[in-house]
């Protein structure tokens, strides 16, 4: 007998742990781990599910071959190779042909084809969106009403893109799903668990329906209120209607009472949502309103600043930089670790300590030739080849053997390749005494923080012109986005006044 169940999981209610417990129960019922599939929208969620199950129940990765994203599953099922997949170099060729630049950024955490911000990414993204929604391109173009995209250029790009794939024998991630659906060949699994199911596209639901054919256990987990991937074709009605048997995970282990009140006000604005009751933690928490980012007390604790777009995030990051705060973005500290290592190493050298060749080589990376070191002794020269490990050099030894010619002085006086603005920033940051390599402050888009949490959350309400136009016409998307933003907090929620002088912001 087939058992179907949909778990609605509001913010912080333990969706991943719930899946782990259900998978354990499935194994105890006699279904072997290798016949269980647990698929997700993102690689991060798929990895978390696999790691949680392995940790909780003493399994190993090779016992869980079907714990992966749908695209990864379709890739392996189709027998594709990495050389089959359209690459950044391929996109550059196509872009040159049609006159559209493509971003060199990585795809990020999802397996979707494009997450870049260049014009080519924007155009091609609409092509992928139409395919994911299984809609005619012209219809999607009309619905999106993106005035920055020219219809004739879009058609030209799509023709060039599809022709390139056909001639070169290339595929993209959407092709993988389409091929899986076309073959209509279930994997022979007995249990299917789908995490973050609210983010799946119409095309992906076709793949899910094929996987369901052989499964007597089918569990779906997600939250329609947190369905913020509409720009990639998320089919919320398909999620809401995947089964009639539904339960709600009611207790949040993250969101305190005061931020919960803000979240509830936002979520109740969403039309067509599945009604569900959930409860905050016993902690009161707090909500604070600020006119300017400079008013937020960032001196202690873990912080995450969330904004709607990368452009707005960059504006906020610039303000933090001006104030001398160290932060991380996309996992990278605002002060490059190698530059920081060079600073520390130089200061150690100045104190009379000796350094090994790798540290000196790194120092030279930030020096100018014939100012910091003699020409011919640069970090890529033979000077540093085959140096015996563990051999240390004093400054005097480096002058005689390694071409050091910089006079003694503070790091900001001798590391000439660190620009003046960055030097001032680093000096201010060092005065604050924060951990440079592991910053307490993180900046991110709201989409980038989905599934994450932090003690203190700062929410910037500003919207891009395109998002604001859509917000005035159809506000559901922004309600969901900012609901996700305010529910990332474990302690305090800080809400800023808008920075945009034209009044383009979300009304919290």
């Amino acid at each position: 007998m087939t058992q179907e169940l949909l778990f609605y999981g509001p913010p912080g209610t333990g969706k991943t742990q719930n899946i782990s417990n259900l998978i354990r129960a499935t194994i105890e019922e006699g279904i072997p781990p290798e016949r269980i599939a647990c698929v997700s929208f993102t690689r991060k969620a798929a990895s978390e599910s696999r790691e949680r199950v392995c940790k909780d129940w003493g399994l190993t990765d090779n016992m869980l071959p079907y714990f992966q994203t749908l695209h990864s599953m379709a890739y392996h099922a189709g027998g594709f190779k990495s050389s089959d997949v359209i690459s950044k170099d391929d996109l550059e060729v196509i872009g040159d042909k049609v006159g559209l630049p493509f971003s060199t950024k990585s795809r990020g955490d999802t397996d979707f084809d494009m997450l870049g911000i260049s014009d080519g990414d924007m155009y091609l993204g609409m092509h992928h969106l139409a395919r994911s929604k299984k809609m005619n391109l012209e219809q999607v173009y009309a619905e999106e009403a993106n005035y920055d995209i020219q219809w004739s250029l879009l058609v030209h790009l799509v023709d060039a893109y599809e022709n390139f794939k056909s001639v070169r024998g290339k595929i993209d991630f959407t092709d993988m799903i389409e091929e899986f659906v076309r073959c209509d060949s279930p994997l022979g699994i007995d249990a299917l668990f789908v995490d973050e199911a609210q983010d799946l596209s119409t095309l992906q639901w076709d793949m899910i329906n094929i996987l369901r054919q052989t499964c007597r256990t089918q569990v779906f987990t997600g939250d329609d209120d947190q369905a913020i991937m509409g720009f990639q074709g998320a089919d919320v009605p398909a999620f809401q209607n995947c089964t009639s048997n539904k339960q709600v995970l009611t207790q949040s282990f993250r969101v305190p009472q005061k931020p919960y009140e803000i979240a509830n006000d936002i979520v109740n604005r969403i039309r067509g949502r599945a009604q569900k009751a959930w409860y905050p933690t016993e902690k009161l928490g707090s909500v604070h309103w600020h006119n300017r980012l400079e008013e937020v007390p960032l001196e202690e604790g873990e912080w995450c600043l969330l904004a709607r777009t990368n452009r707005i995030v960059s504006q906020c990051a610039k303000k933090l930089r001006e104030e001398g705060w160290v932060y991380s973005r996309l996992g990278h500290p605002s002060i490059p670790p190698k530059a920081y290592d060079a600073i520390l190493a130089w200061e150690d050298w100045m104190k009379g300590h000796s350094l090994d060749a790798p540290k000196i080589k790194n120092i030279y990376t930030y020096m100018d030739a014939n100012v910091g070191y003699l020409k011919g002794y640069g970090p890529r020269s033979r000077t540093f080849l085959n140096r015996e490990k563990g051999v240390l050099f004093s400054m005097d030894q480096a002058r005689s053997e390694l071409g050091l010619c910089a006079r003694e002085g503070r790091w900001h006086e001798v590391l000439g390749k660190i620009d003046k603005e960055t030097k001032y920033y680093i000096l201010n940051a060092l005065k604050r005494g924060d951990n440079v390599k592991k910053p307490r402050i993180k900046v991110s888009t709201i989409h980038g923080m989905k599934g994450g949490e932090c003690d203190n959350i700062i929410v910037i309400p500003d919207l891009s012109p395109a998002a604001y136009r859509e917000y005035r016409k159809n506000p559901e998307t922004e309600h969901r986005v900012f609901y996700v933003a305010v529910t990332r907090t474990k302690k305090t929620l800080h809400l800023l006044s808008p920075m945009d002088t034209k009044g383009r912001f979300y009304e919290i």
Side-chain angles (χ1 to χ4, degrees):
M1 179 179 177
T2 300
Q3 296 178 332
E4 297 180 358
L5 187 59
L6 166 60
F7 281 97
Y8 283 122
T13 52
K15 294 186 287 292
T16 302
Q17 185 61 58
N18 182 61
I19 286 179
S20 177
N21 295 340
L22 292 169
I23 289 173
R24 176 63 177 179
T26 301
I27 295 172
E28 290 176 344
E29 289 172 2
I31 297 179
E34 62 270 17
R35 293 184 66 83
I36 299 174
C38 183
V39 298
S40 180
F41 176 76
T42 65
R43 294 192 293 275
K44 177 183 176 183
S47 177
E48 285 179 350
S49 295
R50 183 173 57 252
E51 290 173 2
R52 180 69 61 86
V53 171
C54 288
K55 178 182 178 182
D56 289 350
W57 314 118
L59 304 178
T60 57
D61 282 356
N62 59 1
M63 298 172 68
L64 303 170
Y66 295 120
F67 277 57
Q68 52 196 177
T69 62
L70 285 174
H71 288 92
S72 179
M73 183 176 285
Y75 174 85
H76 289 102
F80 300 115
K81 305 183 297 295
S82 59
S83 58
D84 297 328
V85 184
I86 198 161
S87 67
K88 295 176 182 178
D89 291 340
D90 294 332
L91 291 178
E92 287 184 7
V93 172
I94 298 169
D96 289 343
K97 182 176 181 179
V98 300
L100 285 171
F102 281 90
S103 171
T104 57
K105 289 176 60 177
S106 64
R107 291 190 309 273
D109 188 45
T110 72
D111 279 347
F112 277 86
D113 292 286
M114 295 309 305
L115 285 178
I117 57 175
S118 296
D119 286 347
D121 302 303
M122 180 173 61
Y123 274 79
L124 190 55
M126 186 164 290
H127 177 44
H128 291 314
L129 178 62
R131 297 165 67 196
S132 294
K133 297 178 75 169
K134 298 181 66 176
M135 291 173 59
N136 179 275
L137 179 62
E138 189 171 2
Q139 183 180 356
V140 170
Y141 177 77
E143 286 186 356
E144 291 296 300
N146 188 336
Y147 307 120
D148 295 324
I149 294 181
Q150 302 175 32
W151 170 250
S152 58
L153 187 53
L154 174 62
V155 172
H156 183 37
L157 171 65
V158 170
D159 288 343
Y161 178 74
E162 292 299 334
N163 182 65
F164 183 94
K165 288 194 301 178
S166 177
V167 171
R168 304 289 182 93
K170 295 282 188 171
I171 60 168
D172 58 32
F173 284 93
T174 309
D175 289 321
M176 297 176 197
I177 302 291
E178 290 176 337
E179 178 65 13
F180 189 98
V181 172
R182 186 189 66 78
C183 291
D184 192 14
S185 299
L187 298 178
I189 53 179
D190 297 323
L192 174 65
F193 294 83
V194 184
D195 194 13
E196 301 289 354
Q198 78 280 346
D199 289 326
L200 301 183
S201 68
T202 305
L203 178 62
Q204 288 175 315
W205 276 107
D206 283 351
M207 181 173 174
I208 290 293
N209 290 332
I210 292 172
L211 295 174
R212 297 176 75 173
Q213 293 176 18
T214 61
C215 298
R216 63 177 185 266
T217 297
Q218 302 172 16
V219 178
F220 305 90
T221 301
D223 184 9
D224 55 313
D225 296 330
Q226 299 180 70
I228 63 174
M229 297 297 180
F231 66 96
Q232 290 181 331
D235 191 338
V236 176
F239 165 70
Q240 293 172 324
N241 299 317
C242 64
T243 178
S244 59
N245 192 11
K246 303 171 184 177
Q247 292 184 23
V248 178
L249 302 175
T250 58
Q251 180 60 58
S252 178
F253 302 99
R254 176 200 305 151
V255 185
Q257 296 172 25
K258 289 297 184 180
Y260 168 84
E261 293 174 4
I262 299 292
N264 246 1
D265 177 69
I266 293 174
V267 80
N268 286 327
R269 304 175 196 174
I270 301 174
R271 294 173 295 185
R273 64 182 291 261
Q275 295 296 320
K276 58 188 80 72
W278 63 283
Y279 306 99
T281 67
E282 294 181 353
K283 297 178 181 178
L284 187 62
S286 59
V287 177
H288 305 277
W289 299 80
H290 306 277
N291 289 322
R292 301 163 63 241
L293 181 57
E294 292 83 354
E295 298 175 7
V296 181
L298 298 170
E299 289 78 10
E300 296 181 357
E302 303 293 324
W303 293 81
C304 185
L305 183 152
L306 300 178
R308 184 64 173 84
T309 66
N310 276 303
R311 181 185 62 81
I312 301 171
V313 170
S314 295
Q315 291 176 347
C316 295
K318 182 179 179 181
K319 289 181 179 292
L320 291 174
R321 190 179 178 92
E322 290 170 352
E323 294 294 312
W325 292 111
V326 182
Y327 60 89
S328 66
R329 183 175 183 182
L330 298 174
H332 302 292
S334 55
I335 296 176
K338 287 188 175 181
Y340 183 59
D341 287 340
I343 292 169
L344 294 181
W346 177 262
E347 294 295 303
D348 277 347
W349 233 4
M350 285 288 297
K351 293 174 183 176
H353 299 149
S354 296
L355 303 179
D356 60 17
K359 287 186 177 180
I360 298 172
K361 179 180 177 180
N362 188 45
I363 288 175
Y364 282 14
T365 301
Y366 296 94
M367 286 180 164
D368 294 307
N370 289 334
V371 177
Y373 57 85
L374 295 174
K375 192 172 182 179
Y377 287 86
R380 295 183 180 181
S381 69
R382 293 185 177 182
T383 304
F384 294 98
L385 291 177
N386 302 320
R387 286 287 175 179
E388 187 177 344
K389 291 184 178 180
V391 176
L392 302 179
F393 298 84
S394 67
M395 270 193 170
D396 288 339
Q397 289 173 313
R399 293 185 198 283
S400 62
E401 297 181 46
L402 303 180
L404 178 68
C405 63
R407 296 180 179 180
E408 294 185 2
R410 295 299 305 275
W411 66 267
H412 50 87
E413 297 170 333
V414 298
L415 302 183
K417 286 190 175 179
I418 300 178
D419 64 85
K420 185 181 295 187
E421 181 183 334
T422 301
K423 286 179 180 178
Y424 287 140
Y425 170 53
I426 295 176
L427 285 168
N428 287 333
L430 293 176
K431 286 179 183 178
R432 292 191 178 277
D434 261 356
N435 188 326
V436 173
K437 291 191 175 181
K438 294 183 179 179
R440 297 179 299 105
I441 303 169
K442 175 181 179 181
V443 297
S444 171
T445 62
I446 298 171
H447 286 83
M449 189 60 175
K450 190 172 185 294
E453 60 184 19
C454 187
D455 287 347
N456 307 288
I457 292 290
I458 307 169
V459 178
I460 310 297
D462 297 60
L463 299 174
S464 67
Y468 183 72
R469 286 196 301 268
E470 182 63 20
Y471 172 48
R472 304 314 300 175
K473 182 176 63 176
N474 180 23
E476 261 54 55
T477 295
E478 299 310 318
H479 293 332
R480 291 189 172 104
V481 168
F482 282 90
Y483 176 68
V484 166
V486 302
T487 55
R488 299 308 94 194
T489 184
K490 296 193 290 183
K491 291 183 179 179
T492 66
L493 175 64
H494 294 261
L495 303 172
L496 261 64
S497 297
M499 299 182 295
D500 188 282
T501 57
K502 296 183 179 180
R504 295 176 299 209
F505 63 92
Y506 179 79
E507 299 169 7
I508 298 179

